[in-house]
Amino acid sequence: MPVESVFPRLEALLPHVQKPIQYVGGELNSTVKEWDTTDVRWALMYPDAYEVGLPNQGVMILYEVLNEREGVLAERTYSVWPDLEALMREHKVPQFTVDAHRPVRAFDVFGLSFSTELGYTNMLTALDLAGIPLAAADRTEDDPVVLAGGHAAFNPEPIADFIDAAVIGDGEQAVLEITDVIRAWKTEGRPGGRDELLLRLARTGGVYVPRFYDVEYLPDGRIARVVPNRSGVPWRVSKHTVMDLDEWPYPKQPLVPLAETVHERMSVEIFRGCTRGCRFCQAGMITRPVRERSITGIGEMVEAGLKATGFEEVGLLSLSSADHTEIADVAKGLADRYEDDKIGLSLPSTRVDAFNIDLANELTRNGRRSGLTFAPEGGSERIRKVINKMVSEEDLIRTVATAYGNGWRQVKLYFMCGLPTETDEDVLQIADMAKRVIQKGREVTGQNDIRCTVSIGGFVPKPHTPFQWSPQLGVEETDARLEKLRDAIRGDKKYGRNIGFRYHDGKPGIIEGLLSRGDRRVGAVIRAVYEDGGRFDGWREHFSYDRWMRACEAALPAFDVDLAWFTTRERTIEEVLPWDHLDSGLDKDWLWDDWQDALDETEVEDCRWTPCFDCGVCPQMDTAIQIGPTGKKLLPLTVVNAGASAGS
């Protein structure tokens, strides 16, 4: 039976909301399939506003991978703003997809990609608007399987009550395997109902189904153990790893948004994974090993993507893009190739020790020369040893001197506050570093219009990192430290005016910490926040610390724990962590040893270029580091429009 579009009912509401264009769909390269020609149907959600969700590479890739498969349909849905939410409730319009405006509850799978834990209340909003029971235990065979993925899914315990399943790691192959399981179950007439489907998914070993695991607690509130409660369910669930990125050149047809979004460019992931070993970085730890896309694969993806979209900028994405072994050839080849078309190239923030002026010039040759962003992360040499960010202040000053000397006028520096063992002095050295940057810029250029922006985020300890045992800095201490830094920067008459200072106070960070390292007991807090009106917690203007505090005070005493227990408390090696049964490939003893190295201020090299440090990923996951050089060049090397202009 076809599923009816809710658009006729939705359309009448759109004149009454902000940015109605974000709800209408019809983007270039979007896909709408006939419902009845497919047998497995996915609704994919990035639980944030359209302007943030549409450019998300993960959702875009899965959308295309699924829609390429015969008999499979995938559509997208995003969080609706509170103005439309109120009207949808009033007029009984359910959560809908933007592709064909079908109700989310009609799909087989409702898949959510979480890159941050602050999207959890948006998930509950979407479930409720869709008419799907918030509690997984209350769902029937008529409800979709609610599936979590993305980096936050590496500890899905805080949302265990609300999701049916979670997948950790790369999604491309995983969604196709899940599709096959669902198709077989449906073809057989849905034997055993919803429970049987979830059991089949759990028994694959690559899908975590919380209902099949019991959590036992010690009298002091710590976890005693997490045990399967069904036969055939694995004790540990493994992450998925795609090994040959060239076999997965997605997205081939990137979506072009109708409304303004946070990134107006076509992006290509040039490698996945990172072995730099920054101890605070969950993304670097959980995406190991490094897998590079070949230079020819990158060139083909850029060519196809530009033809499909008409964008004028290409983002070369990864966790540390300048570390690609052939990045110089990639940048030069693309700049040569698209010189006539004025296609700009961009990298995310560049590591100080990977920056060189030749690369920077290639990246800006066809586009505008904007500011450069570097991320020293820690203000002092000592704290950079603690976090294993091996960048000296002299390296930074030398790099910015080169940049200023070659025509750049704006440098942005990113740091964190609240890192393990950090003192006020470590943070105040950020001000000294920023002043030296301005001083060097003036010296090199002979001009005073040099700018440096200091941007500071609060450190949040994350699962599957060496800092997963670390205490988090409290709100008051964080704010006091940032205030001292602000005064040190602004109080300087000579340099202060040229230094911009942006920071987040400690409140969102401590809530993110609760959700990051929480266990199933935190679900009661999330639900209470949602019922109290919590939405869009990742947006400063919508986040309410008081609302989260009220929820913690109402929900956590029943379990004899509190907010501090989950955040500012240090863990020991003996403690069972809520995510220990989810296998990222990283050996827990190796992570602990690295935590001890951090406390000793001992640095560790990048294992791409040195012997293996036995983190556990490669042998345990049957994977290996894949890097070049391949010796190939970006082909064809002709300028794209050369033939056309010659023949005209």
Side-chain angles (χ1 to χ4, degrees), residues 57-98:
Q57 202 77 351
V59 171
M60 214 184 284
I61 289 169
L62 299 184
Y63 175 74
E64 201 171 304
V65 166
L66 288 163
N67 277 319
E68 272 192 358
R69 179 63 66 94
E70 195 172 338
V72 182
L73 172 155
E75 297 187 9
R76 297 161 294 124
T77 185
Y78 305 104
S79 296
V80 299
W81 284 109
D83 57 355
L84 182 57
E85 180 193 341
L87 289 170
M88 287 167 66
R89 291 186 185 282
E90 182 185 342
H91 295 273
K92 297 188 168 41
V93 176
Q95 181 79 24
F96 55 88
T97 60
V98 295

Side-chain angles (χ1 to χ4, degrees), residues 18-25 27 49-51 78-79 81 98 259:
Q18 290 185 319
K19 298 184 184 175
I21 189 76
Q22 66 189 306
Y23 305 118
V24 302
E27 299 93 347
Y50 176 95
E51 63 201 74
Y78 305 104
S79 296
W81 284 109
V98 295

Side-chain angles (χ1 to χ4, degrees), residues 289-525:
V290 169
R291 292 145 284 152
E292 286 190 354
R293 201 181 295 280
S294 71
I295 185 170
T296 47
I298 293 166
E300 288 161 7
M301 284 188 70
V302 170
E303 183 176 7
L306 288 174
K307 279 181 183 170
T309 62
F311 279 126
E312 295 178 346
E313 183 183 336
V314 176
L316 303 175
L317 301 188
S318 77
L319 292 172
S320 185
S321 295
D323 285 340
H324 191 288
T325 47
E326 295 176 306
I327 188 63
D329 285 338
V330 169
K332 184 177 189 312
L334 292 175
D336 286 346
R337 186 144 207 272
Y338 298 106
E339 191 160 15
D340 281 6
D341 290 340
K342 298 295 181 208
I343 301 295
L345 302 174
S346 65
L347 296 187
S349 66
T350 311
R351 286 185 62 100
V352 171
D353 51 353
F355 175 85
N356 68 71
I357 205 66
D358 292 335
L359 174 60
N361 284 333
E362 294 295 359
L363 291 169
T364 57
R365 196 201 315 168
N366 302 338
R368 60 189 176 85
R369 177 170 287 199
S370 55
L372 291 169
T373 301
F374 300 107
E377 309 289 2
S380 68
E381 199 95 16
R382 186 194 75 79
I383 207 73
R384 288 194 293 277
K385 287 180 179 176
V386 170
I387 64 178
N388 205 45
K389 188 88 177 188
M390 294 179 284
V391 175
S392 72
E393 188 162 339
E394 295 313 312
D395 287 338
L396 177 71
I397 298 304
R398 192 162 47 245
T399 297
V400 298
T402 305
Y404 285 134
N406 281 269
W408 273 270
R409 289 291 173 271
Q410 169 81 23
V411 168
K412 183 176 180 181
L413 302 177
Y414 182 80
F415 299 91
M416 282 188 285
C417 177
L419 290 161
T421 78
E422 181 186 273
T423 65
D424 287 358
E425 184 53 38
D426 292 314
V427 172
L428 289 172
Q429 285 191 44
I430 294 171
D432 297 334
M433 186 185 286
K435 291 171 193 174
R436 280 197 67 192
V437 165
I438 297 293
Q439 182 184 23
K440 178 58 74 170
R442 289 176 179 175
E443 180 188 311
V444 168
T445 64
Q447 297 177 25
N448 285 333
D449 66 337
I450 299 300
R451 293 283 303 163
C452 172
T453 300
V454 170
S455 184
I456 305 206
F459 165 67
V460 178
K462 293 284 185 177
H464 306 280
T465 70
F467 289 165
Q468 63 185 2
W469 292 279
S470 172
Q472 188 173 355
L473 193 66
V475 171
E476 292 78 12
E477 297 91 336
T478 300
D479 290 350
R481 207 163 274 176
L482 289 171
E483 199 171 318
K484 288 176 184 173
L485 176 59
R486 186 192 63 201
D487 292 345
I489 290 173
R490 290 184 179 165
D492 190 287
K493 296 277 194 295
K494 191 174 181 184
Y495 300 111
R497 193 173 294 175
N498 293 71
I499 302 172
F501 184 51
R502 296 178 187 163
Y503 65 94
H504 297 288
D505 63 36
K507 291 175 179 175
I510 210 77
I511 299 306
E512 190 182 336
L514 167 72
L515 301 177
S516 170
R517 291 193 292 174
D519 54 41
R520 293 188 182 186
R521 294 169 289 191
V522 173
V525 177

Side-chain angles (χ1 to χ4, degrees), residues 234-311:
W235 281 82
R236 298 190 83 201
V237 178
S238 297
K239 79 168 180 181
H240 296 259
T241 305
V242 169
M243 280 311 299
D244 188 347
L245 293 188
D246 283 339
E247 286 185 4
W248 299 87
Y250 296 92
K252 300 171 186 173
Q253 303 269 315
L255 292 161
V256 180
L258 294 176
E260 186 178 349
T261 60
V262 290
H263 298 304
E264 298 285 342
R265 65 183 179 218
M266 195 276 289
S267 297
V268 172
E269 183 185 29
I270 63 173
F271 72 86
R272 197 171 287 182
C274 183
T275 46
R276 286 279 190 166
C278 300
R279 294 176 174 127
F280 58 84
C281 182
Q282 184 189 45
M285 292 288 171
I286 63 178
T287 58
R288 292 180 176 209
V290 169
R291 292 145 284 152
E292 286 190 354
R293 201 181 295 280
S294 71
I295 185 170
T296 47
I298 293 166
E300 288 161 7
M301 284 188 70
V302 170
E303 183 176 7
L306 288 174
K307 279 181 183 170
T309 62
F311 279 126

